Amino acid sequence: NAGVTQTPKFQVLKTGQSMTLQCAQDMNHNSMYWYRQDPGMGLRLIYYSASEGTTDKGEVPNGYNVSRLNKREFSLRLESAAPSQTSVYFCASSEVRGFNTEAFFGQGTRLTVV
Amino acid sequence: DAKTTQPPSMDCAEGRAANLPCNHSTISGNEYVYWYRQIHSQGPQYIIHGLKNNETNEMASLIITEDRKSSTLILPHATLRDTAVYYCIVSLGSKGNAGNMLTFGGGTRLMVKP
């Protein structure tokens, strides 16, 4: 029962490099999300996908792009990494079922940009 | 979504009840109160949610005031493993076909002590 799986778990990038963070869920959820968490702070929403084929900006979308590849997978791309993007990135998924949705989170990707 | 106010930190003795307060004075009639916790930088974990009535599950109880402007999460017999950051979130569970956008604040850092 994997739930939400993120890869990689750790990554170090040089400024200007690009990379894609992968997220997959096996719960057949419609909605998926990407958050970032800076040290000592709460989570901030980067992008979300309410359903397959749709994506929308969250609170802090600048410097990121996303792709909802299919219902299972939602990727986050950094085109030109900057030190300010050093953070822990969490992917989450949830089902849209009236008002009673519970989000499940992955274990995070710890990204350092030097 | 309505904002929430939580104390930044609390201590609790092991085996005693932990009562975590949350103020959400601008909550609207169709917004739910959700509680999540994050243990040592892992992905957040859902605990409980409610609309108007008090709720209880195997993890915790949620007490919502009659005017819905505040709530309290109760861990009845706190253990050392309950040491975590607890987030109170007010949100629409869904917005039609849109996903559940959870806005995390700073949370309350609960320290359970032997």
Side-chain angles (χ1 to χ4, degrees):
Chain A
N1 206 10
V4 178
T5 303
Q6 294 182 232
T7 56
K9 289 186 171 52
F10 301 92
Q11 184 71 50
V12 179
L13 287 179
K14 293 182 179 178
T15 298
Q17 285 185 319
S18 62
M19 79 161 294
T20 300
L21 282 64
Q22 307 286 353
C23 174
Q25 52 93 6
D26 61 3
M27 295 171 283
N28 203 35
H29 286 166
N30 282 316
S31 300
M32 298 185 72
Y33 315 86
W34 277 105
Y35 290 88
R36 63 175 286 176
Q37 185 174 34
D38 299 331
M41 306 290 287
L43 281 75
R44 291 184 293 171
L45 183 65
I46 305 172
Y47 271 93
Y48 71 101
S49 170
S51 61
E52 186 178 356
T54 68
T55 60
D56 286 285
K57 295 179 180 179
E59 182 186 358
V60 288
N62 291 343
Y64 306 94
N65 286 301
V66 291
S67 295
R68 185 72 183 268
L69 304 171
N70 48 55
K71 193 171 185 179
R72 289 188 64 249
E73 299 172 288
F74 188 39
S75 63
L76 179 71
R77 182 162 179 84
L78 287 70
E79 290 291 351
S80 179
S84 60
Q85 294 178 304
T86 293
S87 191
V88 180
Y89 291 84
F90 289 101
C91 177
S93 71
S94 68
E95 184 54 70
V96 178
R97 187 169 52 240
F99 297 114
N100 301 329
T101 56
E102 169 192 346
F104 293 83
F105 286 79
Q107 289 305 299
T109 294
R110 284 152 181 78
L111 176 67
T112 301
V113 183
V114 297
Chain B
D1 293 342
K3 294 190 183 302
T4 62
T5 303
Q6 298 177 253
S9 63
M10 292 181 63
D11 289 344
C12 177
E14 188 178 19
R16 305 296 294 270
N19 297 286
L20 291 89
C22 180
N23 287 322
H24 31 78
S25 58
T26 60
I27 192 170
S28 63
N30 54 357
E31 287 182 311
Y32 281 66
V33 179
Y34 294 83
W35 282 85
Y36 283 75
R37 73 180 183 182
Q38 188 175 26
I39 297 173
H40 192 51
S41 298
Q42 297 177 15
Q45 174 191 25
Y46 166 85
I47 301 173
I48 198 167
H49 75 277
L51 181 63
K52 295 180 181 179
N53 300 321
N54 298 337
E55 302 288 344
T56 296
N57 62 21
E58 64 278 5
M59 290 181 68
S61 295
L62 174 61
I63 308 298
I64 302 174
T65 57
E66 190 170 347
D67 63 8
R68 303 209 324 122
K69 293 185 176 181
S70 66
S71 61
T72 301
L73 178 74
I74 300 173
L75 307 179
H77 306 286
T79 70
L80 299 179
R81 289 174 296 180
D82 292 321
T83 293
V85 178
Y86 287 77
Y87 296 100
C88 170
I89 301 164
V90 172
S91 177
L92 292 174
S94 64
K95 299 178 182 178
N97 291 325
N100 175 11
M101 289 190 291
L102 299 173
T103 301
F104 288 77
T108 296
R109 185 173 297 276
L110 176 69
M111 180 72 72
V112 180
K113 298 184 175 180

